[in-house]
Amino acid sequence: MSNLPTPQDYLDDLHAIGITRLFLPHIDPRDRAAGIRRARQELGRLRGELSLQRDNAVERSDARSSEAVRRATAPYSLLLLLHEQLVEEVGDLERSLSTGKPMPYSFDFGRYIFGDESSGDWFIGGQSEIDEWGRIQQFKSRLDALREQSQPAREQLSGVRSELEALTAEHEKRQQKIERRQQPGTIRLQIALLVLAGAASGIIGWQFWNADRGLSTVAWGLCAACALLIPIAILNWRNPRTRKLSQQRKLERQIQQVRAQGTHQRQSYQPLDLQIKALEVHYNRMLDGWESARLIKKRLDGFIEEAQPLRDRVDTIRSELEIQRQQREKLLKKQEKRQKRGAFARRMLLHIMLVLASGAVGFYFDYTGEADYAAVMYGLSAFCILLVPLAYIDWKNRNGKLESNLRQLETRMLQLQTEGKQIMKRYHPLELQIKTLIAQYKRTRAGITAPTESRQPD
């Protein structure tokens, strides 16, 4: 017999710490402080043991899939969730005492941990929850028995349905072939092919009549055969009594037989199926009415689904704004660099230096008798002189273009910020609701409830 601690043993240890007693108002402050220190130490110890037991549970079960791991670790994961909530409660109490705020409300949590190992559904609650869970499991056993009883009938119906689908598909396929065969274009194509074959055979017979009488005779015979096949093909096309139609009628009879068989099996299975569906509806209502955490989870999923598109749009806006900010910084740096004192003068000075250098080189060539080179340098100097006003115009235009791009960028950023603020106005209430429901779901799932009222003495 195994001496390993059970999940119930760990739940008893959590109760033995006495965390709920620390919230009673009449406790001495020193005793409360000592109790908080002791509770933190015990919770830290149990945290390590629960984590170790959860890992060992996976090894003992040899779970290979994620679902098998979830089922094997479900009770310890639930106890770790309860442990997390208890740590938060102790932290809230300690912060309230250190800041002088009113003490948090007292609470209680279930005495028993119970569930189903096969499904991995585990809960923490009191004796009434255990009794209700037992009734639900009895109902579930009855439902499972009916499902097992109906399994052969469902397999037969599934086989009949598959056979009927296969026969129907084959019937439709053959029907399409028959319809294509009965179209006027089909017989026209056959006649055209026979005419072409007969004409080709006749031409070959006529060409080889003098050279090869045997080949010519065969060709004329083929031409005559094609001529005889034309009326036969027309009669065969007009006559509906073909082999394909016979096969199609046989297939239709098989479909009728399978349908009759399926109808008979469905009529015999229908009362059991209706009973199972009614029990499933009742079973789901029992679960929804018994486990309040399930209802909270449904509401939470609904809010998350509603908030997800808004959250995605906010993330997109933030990413685009970040790109726009980087582009704006680059434009501002360019604009600042161009607007620095002396930037334009330095550029003009560069052009003037080019003019003077070109003129000086041209004068040197002219002095040395190199008239061609001197003319080229003088022309380059004149070109640089013409560039001076063009450079001034380009400078002004570039400044205007930078300012225009900067204004467009800032306008786009303002639009994105306005859209982001509008979306956040819709998203913030949903986010707060989601956070509240998450905290409520964790507390409810961990079995934490309000304290039961003490009975007044008579």
Side-chain angles (χ1 to χ4, degrees):
M1 189 173 179
S2 177
N3 293 324
L4 293 175
T6 63
Q8 183 61 48
D9 294 333
Y10 287 109
L11 182 59
D12 294 339
D13 290 343
L14 289 173
H15 276 282
I17 296 175
I19 295 176
T20 57
R21 291 195 297 271
L22 299 176
F23 291 80
L24 298 178
H26 60 271
I27 296 180
D28 184 73
R30 292 183 179 178
D31 295 339
R32 196 191 310 275
I36 291 175
R37 289 194 297 271
R38 176 178 172 273
R40 285 194 174 278
Q41 293 175 357
E42 293 295 322
L43 286 173
R45 177 183 63 82
L46 287 174
R47 170 75 181 182
E49 293 185 10
L50 285 171
S51 300
L52 181 60
Q53 289 296 327
R54 182 177 60 180
D55 297 338
N56 292 337
V58 178
E59 296 178 358
R60 289 194 301 268
S61 62
D62 193 21
R64 300 184 182 275
S65 63
S66 58
E67 180 63 22
V69 171
R70 185 194 69 82
R71 291 195 301 266
T73 60
Y76 299 103
S77 298
L78 181 58
L79 288 172
L80 285 171
L81 177 61
L82 173 60
H83 178 279
E84 176 188 346
Q85 298 302 308
L86 294 177
V87 170
E88 290 184 3
E89 295 290 344
V90 173
D92 291 342
L93 176 61
E94 196 171 15
R95 284 190 294 271
S96 300
L97 294 176
S98 62
T99 57
K101 294 182 179 180
M103 287 179 52
Y105 290 107
S106 180
F107 66 94
D108 196 4
F109 57 97
R111 292 281 175 179
Y112 306 100
I113 180 170
F114 53 92
D116 185 10
E117 294 183 358
S118 60
S119 63
D121 295 331
W122 287 81
F123 310 95
I124 295 176
Q127 186 61 46
S128 60
E129 284 82 8
I130 289 183
D131 296 339
E132 182 65 22
W133 175 254
R135 287 191 290 270
I136 292 176
Q137 292 304 300
Q138 291 177 359
F139 192 88
K140 183 176 181 295
S141 299
R142 179 186 171 192
L143 180 59
D144 292 340
L146 288 176
R147 287 172 177 168
E148 186 176 358
Q149 179 183 351
S150 64
Q151 183 65 26
R154 275 183 293 158
E155 291 178 355
Q156 291 179 359
L157 277 175
S158 178
V160 170
R161 191 178 296 111
S162 301
E163 184 180 359
L164 182 61
E165 290 176 355
L167 291 175
T168 303
E170 182 66 21
H171 181 271
E172 292 177 355
K173 183 179 179 180
R174 292 185 177 182
Q175 186 65 31
Q176 291 175 0
K177 290 182 179 179
I178 292 174
E179 290 176 355
R180 285 197 301 268
R181 184 182 181 279
Q182 291 178 348
Q183 291 177 356
T186 303
I187 187 62
R188 291 171 184 168
L189 178 61
Q190 292 179 359
I191 293 174
L193 292 175
L194 290 173
V195 169
L196 290 175
S201 300
I203 293 172
I204 292 173
W206 181 70
Q207 290 288 338
F208 289 92
W209 177 255
N210 295 324
D212 192 345
R213 292 296 180 90
L215 178 61
S216 178
T217 303
V218 173
W220 284 113
L222 289 176
C223 180
C226 291
L228 293 175
L229 285 176
I230 291 176
I232 296 175
I234 295 174
L235 293 176
N236 187 34
W237 176 74
R238 290 182 176 180
N239 184 15
R241 297 178 182 178
T242 61
R243 183 170 59 88
K244 290 185 178 180
L245 286 176
S246 176
Q247 293 177 353
Q248 191 74 343
R249 287 192 293 269
K250 182 180 178 180
L251 193 59
E252 290 174 354
R253 288 194 297 269
Q254 291 180 359
I255 291 175
Q256 291 177 358
Q257 292 175 0
V258 173
R259 283 178 178 173
Q261 181 183 358
T263 303
H264 176 71
Q265 291 183 357
R266 194 178 299 108
Q267 289 176 353
S268 60
Y269 170 70
Q270 189 173 15
L272 186 59
D273 184 44
L274 293 176
Q275 186 179 4
I276 291 174
K277 289 181 179 178
L279 291 178
E280 286 176 346
V281 171
H282 186 58
Y283 175 71
N284 291 329
R285 287 178 180 175
M286 289 174 68
L287 285 179
D288 292 338
W290 175 74
E291 188 190 357
S292 55
R294 188 188 297 269
L295 299 178
I296 298 174
K297 186 66 166 58
K298 287 183 179 179
R299 291 182 59 198
L300 177 61
D301 292 340
F303 280 110
I304 291 176
E305 184 178 359
E306 182 180 356
Q308 188 61 40
L310 300 177
R311 185 64 187 176
D312 294 340
R313 180 55 185 161
V314 169
D315 293 339
T316 303
I317 290 175
R318 287 177 177 172
S319 302
E320 190 173 352
L321 272 175
E322 185 63 26
I323 297 174
Q324 300 280 356
R325 288 192 185 98
Q326 295 176 359
Q327 294 179 356
R328 182 174 179 270
E329 290 177 359
K330 291 180 180 179
L331 290 177
L332 287 174
K333 288 180 180 179
K334 287 183 179 179
Q335 192 177 38
E336 183 180 358
K337 184 178 180 180
R338 294 178 65 84
Q339 291 178 353
K340 284 183 178 180
R341 185 177 180 181
F344 179 72
R346 284 193 298 271
R347 186 169 182 179
M348 293 296 102
L349 180 62
L350 176 63
H351 285 282
I352 293 173
M353 293 297 294
L354 288 174
V355 171
L356 293 177
S358 301
V361 173
F363 177 78
Y364 172 76
F365 282 126
D366 191 14
Y367 179 76
T368 57
E370 300 288 342
D372 295 336
Y373 291 107
V376 171
M377 297 308 297
Y378 286 145
L380 181 61
S381 178
F383 178 73
C384 292
I385 292 174
L386 294 176
L387 284 180
V388 172
L390 294 177
Y392 176 77
I393 295 173
D394 178 68
W395 181 272
K396 291 295 184 181
N397 290 336
R398 180 62 64 88
N399 285 338
K401 187 176 181 181
L402 284 176
E403 291 178 357
S404 176
N405 292 337
L406 188 59
R407 285 195 299 269
Q408 293 178 1
L409 196 60
E410 291 176 346
T411 302
R412 177 56 182 166
M413 291 176 64
L414 183 60
Q415 292 175 353
L416 289 174
Q417 290 173 353
T418 303
E419 182 184 0
K421 290 179 180 178
Q422 293 175 352
I423 293 176
M424 291 304 293
K425 287 181 180 179
R426 297 166 53 195
Y427 177 72
H428 271 309
L430 294 174
E431 186 180 22
L432 293 175
Q433 190 70 26
I434 289 172
K435 291 181 178 179
T436 302
L437 287 175
I438 289 175
Q440 184 180 359
Y441 173 74
K442 287 183 177 180
R443 288 176 61 87
T444 306
R445 189 73 181 88
I448 296 179
T449 57
T452 56
E453 296 181 358
S454 59
R455 294 185 179 179
Q456 298 295 333
D458 295 334

